[in-house]
Amino acid sequence: MFKLRELPFDAKSNAVVSEETCNYHYGKHHATYVNNLNNLVKDTKFENAGLYELLVGSEGGLYNNAAQVYNHDFYWDCIAKKSEPSTELKAALSANFTDFKEEFIKAATTLFGSGWCWLVLDPKSKKLQIVQTSNAVTPVTDGKVPLLVVDVWEHAYYIDSFNARPKYLEKFYENINWKFVSEAYEWALKEGLNSVKFYIDELHGKCGCASGCGCH
């Protein structure tokens, strides 16, 4: 069975989201995706599959819930603490974007409805890209490696910022865990999509269940 990951920060003192938002966003929404996923994989060919296999091989409701588990896992790490980007990542952002902050926030602000805004690496071209995805969709499905993500579903910010998505995005950007993003970039360059699988396996185990389950 898949299990809800632990938050990589103290919900009482996070700079991006309040404890109340965490109670709903993590404790209700994220937890529901995990529960739904466990119910949906029963008696299917994916019953013993890991989360990465579900991201790249499933569809419909099964894919939506698997992707939302991964998307939220990744989002929490992106806001775990404020930190600085590596020299290599800074150089890559400068080389690929005229003004990364402006372009990223614009993309996140203008995404219509619910979804996610990502910084990704295209492992084929080694180029960085800003990608918008709707609802549960993750760039992993298109062969892109996520490095940074912001959740722009309303439940991510409504309690703290009401309908002011730009206010939430500014707070998000000022408190990005660039150390995590930099490490994701480093591993993406080395391993491509395998780096996504490594990340998932560290959280959920190769079999999809919690680490230490004894089956791997």
Side-chain angles (χ1 to χ4, degrees), residues 5-215:
R5 68 161 296 175
E6 292 184 4
L7 282 175
F9 55 82
D10 184 351
K12 293 183 173 66
S13 57
N14 186 269
V16 179
V17 290
S18 67
E19 183 178 12
E20 186 179 8
T21 288
C22 284
N23 289 340
Y24 283 95
H25 194 178
Y26 168 74
K28 304 292 185 184
H29 291 280
H30 193 176
T32 297
Y33 293 126
V34 174
N35 291 335
N36 288 345
L37 184 58
N38 285 325
N39 290 327
L40 288 167
V41 297
K42 287 179 183 176
D43 301 320
T44 73
K45 65 180 181 179
F46 294 106
E47 189 164 16
N48 296 311
L51 186 60
Y52 180 80
E53 286 68 37
L54 293 173
L55 290 184
V56 298
S58 66
E59 57 187 21
L62 184 53
Y63 170 81
N64 288 335
N65 283 276
Q68 285 292 73
V69 171
Y70 167 75
N71 294 351
H72 282 87
D73 286 345
F74 204 78
Y75 170 69
W76 301 129
D77 281 319
C78 288
I79 62 169
K81 62 180 180 180
K82 183 176 182 177
S83 57
E84 294 298 318
S86 66
T87 302
E88 292 76 15
L89 180 59
K90 281 183 178 179
L93 291 172
S94 296
N96 287 269
F97 305 100
T98 302
D99 185 331
F100 173 71
K101 178 182 178 181
E102 179 181 343
E103 294 173 50
F104 185 81
I105 289 181
K106 181 179 179 181
T109 302
T110 58
L111 191 153
F112 183 76
S114 300
W116 306 80
C117 186
W118 308 77
L119 170 67
V120 303
L121 177 76
D122 182 336
K124 293 180 180 178
S125 67
K126 305 297 184 183
K127 298 288 187 181
L128 298 180
Q129 301 172 351
I130 294 171
V131 174
Q132 297 172 320
T133 62
S134 296
N135 299 317
V137 178
T138 172
V140 177
T141 311
D142 293 326
K144 306 294 177 62
V145 183
L147 307 180
L148 171 70
V149 69
V150 62
D151 187 344
V152 292
W153 285 64
E154 280 196 338
H155 63 242
Y157 58 88
Y158 209 88
I159 290 173
D160 298 335
S161 304
F162 300 102
N163 63 332
R165 185 188 287 186
K167 178 182 176 183
Y168 156 71
L169 292 172
E170 284 289 342
K171 187 163 56 173
F172 168 88
Y173 197 90
E174 292 306 313
N175 292 282
I176 290 172
N177 184 7
W178 285 111
K179 182 176 184 294
F180 172 75
V181 181
S182 299
E183 291 171 352
Y185 176 59
E186 179 184 354
W187 280 104
L189 288 174
K190 293 177 181 176
E191 302 289 345
L193 278 172
N194 279 335
S195 65
V196 179
K197 189 175 187 303
F198 296 154
Y199 170 80
I200 288 172
D201 287 349
E202 280 199 343
L203 287 178
H204 294 283
K206 296 178 182 178
C207 61
C209 50
S211 297
C213 65
C215 64

